[in-house]
Amino acid sequence: EVIAHAYEEWGPESVERLQGMFAFAVFDCRYSYREGEGTVFLARDRMGIKPLYYCRLPIDGDEFRISDFGLRNAEYAISPQLTDQTSPLTIPNPKSAIPNPQSVFLFASELRTLLSSGAVPRKLSRSALESYLLFGSVSEPETLVDGVYSLPPGHCLTVRVGQTLSVSEPECYWNLGVSAARNGHDKQALNHAAENVREKLEASVRRHLIADVPVGVFLSGGIDSTALAALASREIPGVHTFTVGFREDEFNEARIAERTAHALGTDHSELTLNADDLLKRLEEAMGALDQPSIDGVNTYFVSWAATQAGLKVALSGLGGDEVFGGYSTFQRTPHFQRIRSIGGIVPDGLRTAMSAAVASATEGIGPGDAARKIAALWNEPHSLPDAYFFSRALFPPPQVTELMNGNENSDGKPRWWTWLARSAEYARKLDPFTAVSCMESQSYLVNTLLRDTDSMSMAHSLEVRVPFLDHELVEFVMQLPESTKLRKGLPKSLLTSALADVLPDEVVNQTKRGFTLPWATWLKGPLKKNLEQGLSELAEPLQQVLDVNEVRNVWKNYLQGQTSWSRPWSLFVLNQWVRKYL
């Protein structure tokens, strides 16, 4: 009701008045003279919490059909030249056809919905595949299906339906980089930054707790989830918290979460996950991925744990690392920027001659992956739009070239490159801390974390809410200078200062470790057979693009300790997804 009446009052500008997560379409025929004519306005929330996919298909034949299965799953199909008996938004009879359409525009909240319509060709996008290999997930605004695109965060799109079908280019109504550059805080706001953050986060948590069904908080051992649990427990005494634990102590945060829950007085539950549980539900988890991702299975089991605890809504700490500087990329990126700056001015011949020395100097910084990133940064400094993306890379560009056997996109810069380059362009106007924050939010956060969270939580009929991504809170923090957000020796100093009275010292002072399943242990143990079988034969669409020997070498390198688990796992997930859906 809110969206319908807001659009009725303010039209497309209504999106600027909305707060929260949304992806919607409004059909407006108020100013049309013929039945079936009008405009369809599509919009997606500022941070990209909810997804929205679309494609426009030319129709070569005399009629266009949507299968019975597709009609139940495809949300809308819009075409000009509709019959008087046919609604402009849905086709009531699956066996009927739209007469003589020239093109059709489809949109949905899941990529798989568009595939199941039967209208979208199941063709692999090579440019999107390149971005997947680079980052472990497909980068906005592309999808792994050729011709299907994601409406970027903070964007809207208008489709005009009449005698012809007219689709606008996505239009930006909110840009994180532009918002961050405004820097409009007065001296008083700067002096009381921590108090303002506390007030805005409390308000966000309060709003996100409103529900008619059981609400809980995912509680790991980290600062972000502990902050949410602490504030939620003040709003709802005895609020439910839940934790996923493991038998492997190196990855297990259950004990610290249990102590935190006891101190906060929450109703706490814990689900211990082992490799057998994963194997039993692995196929189901992989099938729930709307697009392949190295991180999605983690989210699947967290969502499963929430439903096992009886929850329908769960608060997540997603966004805290991006907004308050919790990732190592905040420390690495400035060093990478310096290497890129030097490499960019050194003549090609001299840079090539020096590459061996650069590689030798970086041998001791990791199992080979970090050294490969730095070598790529030095040798090909402009192969990615910014040094930050090298620090985030899964496979560095030269290795992607080897994996794709020279089959990269040759039609100019792909859409995902343009999206990342635009993000980097705005980020260069900001201080180093805020620049990384913006690029994290417009790449890893939206491409991996939020996309996985949406599809994997929906697979369990669970709604996940993300209070840290309230846009007013994000804008406030982004517009603060680096000096207010970065204090040596104190992780996420602005957040921990704002919540100093509710965050246990044990949580604040521990070494950061992101939540992940014990893949490094399981891939060499219970999952080893699955990986070997899964990578032994590539799905047919991938056989045309990837070098099978290079794929197998990644697995061998992992077994020999020369690369991390995320590389072979990413290829396994990709292969399984392509085999199932393409």
Side-chain angles (χ1 to χ4, degrees):
E1 298 95 329
V2 170
I3 290 173
H5 289 299
Y7 187 89
E8 184 179 33
E9 183 72 21
W10 299 296
E13 293 180 358
S14 59
V15 292
E16 299 175 13
R17 299 171 179 259
L18 298 178
Q19 187 169 16
M21 56 184 181
F22 57 83
F24 68 83
V26 175
F27 179 62
D28 186 355
C29 58
R30 292 175 296 178
Y31 311 110
S32 303
Y33 297 101
R34 300 180 186 177
E35 183 178 357
E37 288 188 344
T39 61
V40 178
F41 178 76
L42 300 99
R44 186 178 178 195
D45 68 73
R46 296 168 180 82
M47 299 300 297
I49 303 168
K50 286 295 174 184
L52 180 51
Y53 300 105
Y54 67 94
C55 65
R56 183 177 183 178
L57 300 171
I59 304 300
D60 298 326
D62 294 331
E63 59 182 27
F64 173 73
R65 296 185 182 276
I66 292 184
S67 67
D68 289 6
F69 179 76
L71 184 69
R72 287 196 300 270
N73 289 274
E75 296 184 1
Y76 298 109
I78 305 168
S79 175
Q81 303 179 24
L82 297 166
T83 64
D84 291 339
Q85 293 77 30
T86 305
S87 159
L89 289 186
T90 59
I91 303 172
N93 180 4
K95 300 185 185 302
S96 67
I98 302 173
N100 303 317
Q102 297 167 343
S103 64
V104 63
F105 181 87
L106 298 113
F107 59 96
S109 57
E110 289 193 6
L111 177 62
R112 292 170 299 170
T113 297
L114 296 178
L115 288 174
S116 70
S117 71
V120 179
R122 295 174 182 262
K123 182 181 178 182
L124 178 72
S125 166
R126 293 191 176 189
S127 62
L129 173 62
E130 182 182 6
S131 75
Y132 176 86
L133 294 173
L134 282 166
F135 304 114
S137 61
V138 177
S139 182
E140 295 274 341
E142 299 203 48
T143 74
L144 210 56
V145 180
D146 192 42
V148 180
Y149 300 101
S150 167
L151 185 64
H155 280 66
C156 54
L157 183 148
T158 302
V159 182
R160 304 190 186 281
V161 185
Q163 292 300 305
T164 59
L165 191 69
S166 173
V167 183
S168 72
E169 286 296 316
E171 181 180 348
C172 179
Y173 69 86
W174 187 84
N175 182 290
L176 181 58
V178 171
S179 177
R182 290 185 185 132
N183 200 14
H185 294 317
D186 55 28
K187 187 175 181 179
Q188 184 177 3
L190 295 178
N191 290 337
H192 298 278
E195 292 93 326
N196 286 323
V197 165
R198 172 69 170 261
E199 180 182 332
K200 291 180 182 299
L201 185 56
E202 284 177 338
S204 180
V205 170
R206 193 177 301 120
R207 284 192 297 269
H208 283 83
L209 286 172
I210 299 172
D212 297 324
V213 294
V215 181
V217 181
F218 170 59
L219 180 61
S220 67
I223 292 173
D224 301 329
S225 65
T226 302
L228 296 185
L231 296 181
S233 66
R234 293 190 167 198
E235 297 293 328
I236 305 176
V239 68
H240 200 118
T241 55
F242 66 97
T243 299
V244 176
F246 309 103
R247 294 174 181 171
E248 293 81 1
D249 290 338
E250 181 184 354
F251 301 91
N252 191 22
E253 296 182 305
R255 299 289 70 80
I256 188 172
E258 183 180 28
R259 291 190 291 271
T260 298
H262 179 74
L264 297 176
T266 67
D267 178 12
H268 189 64
S269 60
E270 176 188 327
L271 187 147
T272 301
L273 183 68
N274 57 45
D276 290 337
D277 298 322
L278 177 69
L279 287 170
K280 289 176 185 176
R281 304 181 72 94
L282 181 59
E283 184 176 351
E284 180 182 319
M286 299 288 284
L289 281 168
D290 195 43
Q291 289 198 71
S293 160
I294 61 172
D295 203 49
V297 175
N298 288 335
T299 310
Y300 177 89
F301 283 100
V302 171
S303 300
W304 178 48
T307 57
Q308 296 300 302
L311 299 177
K312 294 294 184 182
V313 176
L315 270 56
S316 166
L318 286 182
D321 284 321
E322 288 78 6
V323 175
F324 293 100
Y327 293 130
S328 59
T329 50
F330 284 83
Q331 290 79 47
R332 281 202 309 265
T333 299
H335 300 300
F336 277 41
Q337 295 284 18
R338 285 190 286 272
I339 295 172
R340 187 175 194 256
S341 297
I342 297 171
I345 61 175
V346 173
D348 291 346
L350 181 58
R351 191 168 64 245
T352 302
M354 295 174 64
S355 61
V358 172
S360 176
T362 59
E363 280 181 356
I365 65 175
D369 299 319
R372 279 188 282 269
K373 290 181 186 182
I374 293 177
L377 178 62
W378 175 259
N379 291 321
E380 302 177 17
H382 300 294
S383 57
L384 291 174
D386 190 87
Y388 157 80
F389 298 111
F390 284 90
S391 71
R392 258 297 169 201
L394 180 68
F395 293 105
Q399 197 170 3
V400 171
T401 300
E402 294 172 356
L403 284 165
M404 295 188 69
N405 202 19
N407 284 309
E408 307 102 296
N409 180 61
S410 58
D411 301 325
K413 297 298 185 185
R415 295 193 185 197
W416 64 264
W417 171 281
T418 303
W419 169 258
L420 296 183
R422 189 175 301 147
S423 171
E425 180 184 354
Y426 286 117
R428 291 188 190 105
K429 302 172 185 177
L430 308 171
D431 62 66
F433 184 100
T434 309
V436 174
S437 191
C438 280
M439 289 187 284
E440 285 282 7
S441 299
Q442 295 182 308
S443 56
Y444 179 61
L445 177 65
V446 67
N447 296 334
T448 302
L449 300 181
L450 291 176
R451 186 185 299 157
D452 289 346
T453 296
D454 181 75
S455 62
M456 293 308 204
S457 61
M458 290 292 100
H460 294 283
S461 299
L462 175 73
E463 179 186 336
V464 174
R465 300 178 179 178
V466 282
F468 280 112
L469 295 183
D470 174 85
H471 81 272
E472 292 182 353
L473 171 64
V474 171
E475 284 181 339
F476 178 83
V477 177
M478 289 289 183
Q479 291 171 11
L480 292 170
E482 180 177 294
S483 58
T484 65
K485 296 180 282 191
L486 186 60
R487 190 187 310 168
K488 191 173 182 180
L490 185 62
K492 303 182 191 175
S493 58
L494 180 57
L495 179 60
T496 51
S497 297
L499 299 173
D501 60 318
V502 298
L503 291 175
D505 291 339
E506 179 185 23
V507 172
V508 174
N509 297 325
Q510 68 174 326
T511 301
K512 177 179 173 56
R513 51 181 178 181
F515 175 82
T516 183
L517 275 61
W519 296 115
T521 302
W522 292 355
L523 259 60
K524 289 184 178 179
L527 284 174
K528 183 177 180 181
K529 183 178 179 181
N530 296 71
L531 267 288
E532 288 178 340
Q533 290 179 345
L535 295 177
S536 63
E537 184 178 356
L538 295 179
E540 194 274 331
L542 292 176
Q543 291 178 21
Q544 302 175 24
V545 185
L546 296 184
D547 186 323
V548 64
N549 291 323
E550 290 297 330
V551 170
R552 289 170 182 164
N553 283 338
V554 172
W555 175 242
K556 291 178 183 176
N557 289 339
Y558 167 67
L559 294 177
Q560 294 170 1
Q562 297 173 357
T563 191
S564 73
W565 63 266
S566 57
R567 276 76 183 174
W569 176 249
S570 70
L571 296 173
F572 174 78
V573 173
L574 170 70
N575 195 38
Q576 297 298 103
W577 193 92
V578 171
R579 179 176 285 120
K580 184 175 181 66
Y581 292 111
L582 300 185

